[in-house]
Amino acid sequence: DDHDDHAHGEHDPHAWLSTENAKTWLNLIAGRLSAADPDNAGEYFANAQAAIAEINDAIKEINDILDPVRGKKFIVFHDAYQYFETSFDVHASGAIALGDASDPSPARVAEIQNRVRGEGIHCVLSEPQFNPGLVKTVLEGTDVSRGVIDPLGSTLEPGPKLYVTLLRNMAKTLAGCL
């Protein structure tokens, strides 16, 4: 329901959180690189296939991580997880902020506080790049768990394992909070 009012406009820009998008992009990138450098086309496509296999392995592992907590209710800081939620069949019960460009209104914070108290929410997730005080306010007077999820991988080292590490970390954070 909160996704209907997603404040990022017509399209959700967090498309990298979809494993299907990532696998499609790998093939598209390999195709573009091959067109620019035909002598190495085989290597580009082999690398793409290896990365797709790695993503497929990570999907299995992430589903194993999330299986025990699937169906438990959680709130995210901002409405950025639709692709991740669809990829792994976990669905947020709401978001404190509907977008990442502005803080939520006091009415929105009160609405989420009521949801946390009245709907059996198990966890509220903040993000390292946003105000943690808003999550603290939402959780006042409750014993609901709190976690910090990072859809940007801000502390991860760039490299070939970044994407699957990002997804695994998100799954581990969610499961650990629930």
Side-chain angles (χ1 to χ4, degrees):
D1 16 50
D2 281 331
H3 300 303
D4 294 338
D5 296 323
H6 195 268
H8 293 291
E10 186 178 341
H11 302 287
D12 180 356
H14 306 92
W16 71 90
L17 296 178
S18 163
T19 55
E20 290 307 309
N21 285 347
K23 292 187 283 186
T24 298
W25 293 337
L26 283 164
N27 282 322
L28 291 171
I29 292 166
R32 294 288 179 139
L33 290 172
S34 295
D37 181 17
D39 292 343
N40 291 305
E43 187 154 347
Y44 296 131
F45 280 104
N47 288 342
Q49 290 309 304
I52 289 169
E54 187 175 356
I55 290 170
N56 286 333
D57 289 344
I59 289 168
K60 291 176 191 160
E61 181 184 342
I62 290 166
N63 277 317
D64 288 344
I65 292 168
L66 294 174
D67 278 344
V69 298
R70 210 173 302 284
K72 290 189 176 182
K73 295 182 176 187
F74 63 99
I75 299 284
V76 294
F77 183 82
H78 92 287
D79 196 12
Y81 300 92
Q82 296 172 62
Y83 289 105
F84 184 85
E85 292 171 25
T86 299
S87 290
F88 298 106
D89 193 29
V90 292
H91 302 284
S93 296
I96 296 170
L98 295 177
D100 55 6
S102 62
D103 284 338
S105 68
R108 179 70 184 171
V109 171
E111 177 187 339
I112 296 299
Q113 283 176 321
N114 290 335
R115 191 174 288 180
V116 167
R117 288 180 179 89
E119 295 183 17
I121 302 297
H122 295 91
C123 169
V124 175
L125 296 163
S126 62
E127 295 177 38
Q129 57 273 25
F130 293 108
N131 180 357
L134 289 170
V135 172
K136 185 177 178 183
T137 299
V138 166
L139 292 175
E140 265 179 25
T142 74
D143 60 355
V144 172
S145 296
R146 173 183 177 169
V148 179
I149 195 165
D150 185 5
L152 300 177
S154 60
T155 62
L156 298 178
E157 289 294 321
K161 303 291 183 195
L162 182 121
Y163 184 67
V164 294
T165 302
L166 170 79
L167 295 177
R168 280 188 192 106
N169 286 355
M170 289 175 60
K172 288 175 184 175
T173 297
L174 180 57
C177 190
L178 291 170

